[in-house]
Amino acid sequence: MRRRLQTLFQRKFKVSLLFLLLLALLVHLAMDLALPAAHRPCGCDAKAPKASGVPSGSPMLAGPKKLSLRILQDFSGSNGSLEKGSQPQGARPQARAGEPGVRRQHGEGNAGWTKGSKLAALFKHPLYNIPIPEVTEKDKLFVVNPTEKFSLRTSGSDEWVSSSKAETLLPTGKTAYDTYPAWLKFHVGINRYELYPRQDPLMPTLLRDLAMQRIVSSVQKSGGTQLKLIMTFPNYGQALFKPMKQTRDQETPINFFYFSDFERHNAEIAAFHLDRILDFRRIPPVSGRLVNIKKEIRDITTDKKLVKTFFISPAGNICFYGECSYYCSTEHALCGKPDQLEGSMAALLPDKTLAKRRSWRSPWRRSYHKSKKAEWELNPNYCAQVRETPPYDRGHRLLDLIDMSVLDFLMGNMDRHHYETFEKFGNDTFLLHLDNGRGFGTHSRDEPSILAPLRQCCSIKKPTYLRLQLLATQPYRLSDLLREALAADPLAPVLAEPHLRALDRRLGKVLAAVGRCLAGAARPDEVLVDDVGSRV
């Protein structure tokens, strides 16, 4: 009898305990649901969107294919804005408002150029003022809802103010577009034909933000062979930080394979300006920056794996190495002087959730093997196969690829295994020239195999060729132009002089390669393809 009572008591005790736990859970859920939206963390809306592309709780779209600015800001980064710990803590966006205007192409983008500037003269040249086709609604990466105007309450609350109330917060004479942060204007301005316009008045502001904006979050970027960080600003803009690994005068050792080379921060900076001087405009804006490892990385990161890799070197400098496939160890640590570290800050493209990008394997990809060679290295008629293979059998894709090979040859980049395009525009759009850190590694030798697409196909856009000819003349010498462009960077001098001189030598070799193609062609237009009027 006593045992039965004891067993019954134990059962009742267990049931009572389970009931209390269930009751506590229900009370917790009720309190969470009753919590006012204004008191929830600022990242609560930045969840992955539904199939429609509109996150739960976001403003409704006013019409078909109109994108809410709220969504653009919630997904402000690329390949990292949704990573754990990448949202700024306690940060408040500057503005997320209203009706976008068309970015004007005028002299405001030349601010800071002195009288006699070769860059200013270059961008006034007729070859740099060839108009692009008219940009229609379908040619824009984002068609933003023109009736939606958002701003923040001046009280510091993160509650969004909708159209009618936002009107009263706009400064006199200002439109909603004027209140956007620079990164948002950059994203909204992307279209089928260009990543950003020539002589863009936004560019100085965007580069200044990359170099000067306060950093509120730093986390590792997942994937990749070497360490990179995603840094977030108070206005929800984001940048990809590549730290300094080599000094300016160090060349890649002659016995290094191209796939084991370091990625250089100054190569990313120089590549952006070179791409702009060539009038490709396919590399997102990049600025140099001196970062405080302690205050702007270690003390603010929420990345636990990154935190574990910090240490103080025997010389008393703060160091870290992170996690990656290569060069992430104590032996390859990144160290400050004592806590200051150089790096490149590249503006991130719109998040892939909002603007899908497609990655394409380059037909002239290298084998990435110590002894094997790729097919294009063995077959002199390789281009004939490429011309018959989609997407290179129509449109301008092959010519764009040849443009990219010219850029890579000028900076000595052998690491172009893939490229990307915006999926929305299909085959009729430009290529994105991303990840240029392995450029500018050598200046004493050139790598002719990088020009294989040009040499094997013997085709190049006529506007590209005419600009290359212009950049070989004394008034517009390529090395002088890049030297002037890099002089305004916070980390100037970005390139050592031998690298600048190598540009002129390599440019001569590109023009010589085109000259040989012209000499062997039946008609010049077989080599120089005039694409003006269709797209640039």
Side-chain angles (χ1 to χ4, degrees), residues 15-61:
V15 171
S16 301
L17 184 61
L18 288 174
F19 176 76
L20 289 173
L21 288 173
L22 180 61
L23 182 63
L25 179 62
L26 291 174
V27 170
H28 177 75
L29 289 175
M31 290 177 63
D32 186 61
L33 292 173
L35 186 67
H39 294 118
R40 292 177 184 172
C42 64
C44 61
D45 292 323
K47 297 179 181 178
K50 297 180 181 178
S52 64
V54 182
S56 176
S58 68
M60 293 299 293
L61 306 188

Side-chain angles (χ1 to χ4, degrees), residues 373-384:
K373 289 190 174 182
E375 183 181 354
W376 60 267
E377 296 177 277
L378 304 171
N379 181 7
N381 298 317
Y382 179 75
C383 185

Side-chain angles (χ1 to χ4, degrees), residues 158-324:
D158 63 353
E159 180 183 353
W160 291 105
V161 182
S162 60
S163 298
S164 60
K165 296 181 182 178
E167 292 285 356
T168 61
L169 299 178
L170 296 176
T172 304
K174 297 287 185 178
T175 65
Y177 179 77
D178 294 323
T179 69
Y180 295 179
W183 67 264
L184 182 56
K185 292 180 181 179
F186 167 55
H187 288 181
V188 170
I190 299 172
N191 61 62
R192 180 187 300 275
Y193 308 108
E194 57 188 5
L195 196 56
Y196 57 87
R198 300 181 182 105
Q199 305 177 39
D200 186 1
L202 172 65
M203 193 56 62
T205 304
L206 184 54
L207 293 176
R208 185 168 59 251
D209 283 354
L210 292 171
M212 303 295 292
Q213 276 269 346
R214 182 169 61 91
I215 298 170
V216 297
S217 173
S218 297
V219 294
Q220 289 186 105
K221 183 183 185 298
S222 59
T225 59
Q226 300 185 36
L227 178 67
K228 308 174 187 70
L229 301 177
I230 292 179
M231 295 184 165
T232 307
F233 305 128
N235 63 3
Y236 281 91
Q238 290 186 312
L240 182 67
F241 177 77
K242 287 192 177 182
M244 176 180 179
K245 293 186 177 73
Q246 287 184 314
T247 59
R248 307 286 196 275
D249 55 352
Q250 282 182 288
E251 277 198 279
T252 302
I254 195 169
N255 292 317
F256 265 38
F257 286 99
Y258 52 89
F259 49 80
S260 59
D261 193 10
F262 287 113
E263 291 188 29
R264 286 163 287 274
H265 72 300
N266 59 324
E268 294 285 358
I269 302 167
F272 160 68
H273 290 281
L274 177 61
D275 179 83
R276 190 182 184 195
I277 289 170
L278 294 173
D279 199 44
F280 295 154
R281 292 170 286 121
R282 300 164 196 169
I283 296 179
V286 185
S287 173
R289 179 162 181 159
L290 200 61
V291 169
N292 187 302
I293 297 177
K294 180 180 180 295
K295 296 179 179 179
E296 296 179 310
I297 301 179
R298 190 191 68 181
D299 291 354
I300 64 173
T301 187
T302 56
D303 191 326
K304 295 181 180 179
K305 292 182 179 180
L306 179 63
V307 169
K308 292 179 181 179
T309 68
F310 281 86
F311 63 94
I312 304 297
S313 73
N317 298 321
I318 300 180
C319 306
F320 69 104
Y321 52 86
E323 290 189 353
C324 61

